[in-house]
Amino acid sequence: MADGRDSWLTQDLQFGDQFVLTRSLDTRAEGHWARVVGARRIGQNDLFALKIMRSSHIASGVDGPAGASNRNVYKMFYHEARILDHLGRHEETRGRINTLRGWGYVRLPEQHRQRRVGLESCDSLDEFERQMPERRGQWLPFLALETILYERSLLHLAGGKQIGYLRKLL
């Protein structure tokens, strides 16, 4: 993985009792606010893409000069989850974009090569948003997404020629 601060995201890392990291899916993507890793649900063969906030947003602080920007990164996860949840409720988009399967927070590891990190899921998006202020500093927000082809992803639909289609749905 390209970002040294996120080198703790290694293959076979266990996220709570829910997921095991299988591989890195992203490169140093534009925006640099999230890592995307492949994960398998423990005890099942279901594969997911876990989108996890980059730890550099905690390392530079939530208070001080970069604080407002870093707090906004937390909010971006909430807003993206709301959009995916909204689009997932419409028959026109179901099966055409990433399906949101879960959300919550991943605890930063205490040691560099830890084999397991804490993961807490939230029951609702409202709870996800409410917990953000208390989670800042040690927990990274995550979204669990159904894995699909890039051409069907929200990122792809939000850019280029597909933006008109996305606007019609919103």
Side-chain angles (χ1 to χ4, degrees), residues 81-148:
R82 279 283 180 205
I83 289 169
L84 288 167
D85 183 61
H86 174 79
L87 292 174
R89 295 174 189 272
H90 295 278
E91 194 171 319
E92 299 86 17
T93 53
R94 205 171 300 124
R96 293 179 158 217
I97 63 161
N98 299 81
T99 300
L100 182 62
R101 297 292 186 195
W103 49 84
Y105 296 91
V106 174
R107 185 159 182 85
L108 279 171
E110 294 176 18
Q111 300 169 8
H112 181 63
R113 291 288 177 194
Q114 208 167 309
R115 298 306 319 145
R116 182 184 170 114
V117 293
L119 181 135
E120 292 186 16
S121 295
C122 296
D123 292 329
S124 70
L125 288 172
D126 292 334
E127 178 187 349
F128 183 55
E129 181 184 32
R130 267 193 311 276
Q131 289 185 15
M132 282 186 177
E134 65 196 57
R135 298 289 185 157
R136 285 189 202 117
Q138 291 298 314
W139 295 81
L140 304 172
F142 80 89
L143 303 177
L145 305 163
E146 176 183 274
T147 56
I148 61 169

